[in-house]
Amino acid sequence: QVQLVESGGGLVQAGGSLRLSCAASGRTFSLVAMGWFRQAPGKERDFVAAMNWSGSVTYYADSVKGRFTISRDNAKNTVYLQMNSLKPEDTAVYYCAARRGSYASTDITDFNSWGQGTQVTVSS
């Protein structure tokens, strides 16, 4: 398994930007697909973005398409989520996840390693 630690969350005004980082440990990081999910209070954990092992394939939730960008640096064992034009409805705890296998997936059940989460709060 891969151990994951997120950082970069915080409080931002609507229209602002944040970049989340997820540092991974383990020699297999470059072989696994990664994803970002989020969970708002009282709601289920939802898919946000995903990327395959090389970064050549990406998927986004419709709600963030065009505003969020997922990327990875395999040399640094890190995956990023650049979030622009943030809205109050983006407020949630954001989780980084690694899946079983190299292909990108939007299915939460495909992911077996999770970070502790980082809070993102967008004020109106």
Side-chain angles (χ1 to χ4, degrees):
Q1 279 194 343
V2 178
Q3 284 73 48
L4 305 169
V5 178
E6 302 98 334
S7 61
L11 174 64
V12 64
Q13 289 188 332
S17 298
L18 282 174
R19 188 175 82 155
L20 305 183
S21 298
C22 174
S25 63
R27 292 177 292 177
T28 60
F29 173 78
S30 62
L31 302 178
V32 301
M34 300 294 296
W36 287 95
F37 294 78
R38 66 187 181 186
Q39 188 167 18
K43 295 188 177 181
E44 294 185 348
R45 192 171 298 187
D46 291 330
F47 167 75
V48 174
M51 171 174 278
N52 71 336
W53 68 277
S54 68
S56 62
V57 177
T58 57
Y59 299 130
Y60 296 95
D62 288 343
S63 59
V64 307
K65 204 170 293 183
R67 299 188 298 122
F68 290 12
T69 303
I70 186 172
S71 61
R72 66 190 296 163
D73 185 337
N74 285 344
K76 295 183 178 180
N77 276 17
T78 302
V79 63
Y80 305 97
L81 185 68
Q82 178 66 43
M83 306 185 295
N84 298 328
S85 302
L86 282 161
K87 304 175 181 180
E89 52 263 43
D90 294 318
T91 295
V93 177
Y94 283 71
Y95 296 90
C96 171
R99 70 152 299 184
R100 309 173 187 93
S102 302
Y103 297 102
S105 173
T106 64
D107 186 344
I108 194 170
T109 63
D110 285 336
F111 293 82
N112 65 330
S113 296
W114 293 85
Q116 82 289 352
T118 185
Q119 176 70 47
V120 172
T121 303
V122 184
S123 63
S124 57

